[in-house]
Amino acid sequence: MTTVDEPRADSAELLAEAQSFVGGPPGETRVGRDPVNLPMVHHWCQALGDTNPAYLDEEWAAASSRGHLIAPPGMLQTWVMDAPRDVAPGSNDEVLQRLDAAGYTSVVAVNYEHEYLRELRHGERVSVRSMAEDLSPEKKTALGVGVFTTVRHEYTTDDGELVGIGRMRLLKFTPPAKAKAPDIGTRAAIAIGRDNAYFWEGVDAGELRIQQCQGCTALRHPPQPMCGDCGSTDQGFVVASGRGTVYSHVTHHYPPLPGVQLPHTVLVVELEEGVRFVSELAPGEPAVEIGTPVRVAFEQPPGATRTLPIFEVET
Ligand SMILES: [Zn+2]
């Protein structure tokens, strides 16, 4: 058998190739790890709320016309769920590989039909082999353009007896192109007045300015008209180095906020100068932890109306 490694442009040719495998031979038989057993039946019945004594009550089953417990027929696929998958591929694998190469890379199961040929007893081991049963022409669906294919699963016991058939109907489709990023709007305008004009002038000059009281030299941010320590109204500033560490952080995922690209990480940065500064992590930066060294950057993030002092991880 040949395999397809690289996607190819000619999807019509690939579809024709896929079609040629339909009805072809099954892959190698995959053998279920555990035989039909009561603990797995218990889990199944508990999950589904099924109390049928034919599945669960050994005494009842022994006195029944069968004389023994049976497995719920709906568990058919369960018995091969953990069977090894690295077996020789069947015609269905060949079909699916070509559909992938033709660009139908997404898959959704639309139906799984079981046909039960006989009841399974405890201790029986189930195997499965798979093949391609059909392939539709290209269709337009709500999910995208694609093709339907049916994978036929043949379930057998150790002696090769066919005990059930599953038909899994798949839609292989081309995922639609990603929708354009939604308009995130713009952030509220920043109010700039007499007390904070020096700060924003600094941002425009590429400086992170921190208010400094001219009476007692205390540093503070955000700016205030009067010093809380000495009562002076004579306020100047120092230019901070722009380096600091993450003191605290929180990442906002929902709800959307005007002008904010989500997820959005808000930082409290402890600046080298000892002042804590509320800001945000620049887009595309790695995740931070408390203590992560960061450095100021003067950028206009998406949705912002002006350049802001935001932070990048110090590398
Ligand atoms: Zn002061």
Side-chain angles (χ1 to χ4, degrees), residues 44-58:
W44 171 278
C45 288
Q46 194 175 25
L48 297 188
D50 191 334
T51 57
N52 190 335
Y55 308 147
L56 299 165
D57 187 333
E58 283 186 78

Side-chain angles (χ1 to χ4, degrees), residues 5 23-24 28 31 45 82 129 157 163 191 194 209 232 251-252 284 288 297 309:
D5 296 317
E28 204 177 322
V31 184
C45 288
D82 56 1
R129 56 178 184 251
T157 45
V163 292
R194 203 169 52 180
R209 295 178 179 175
S232 170
T251 299
H252 179 90
V288 295

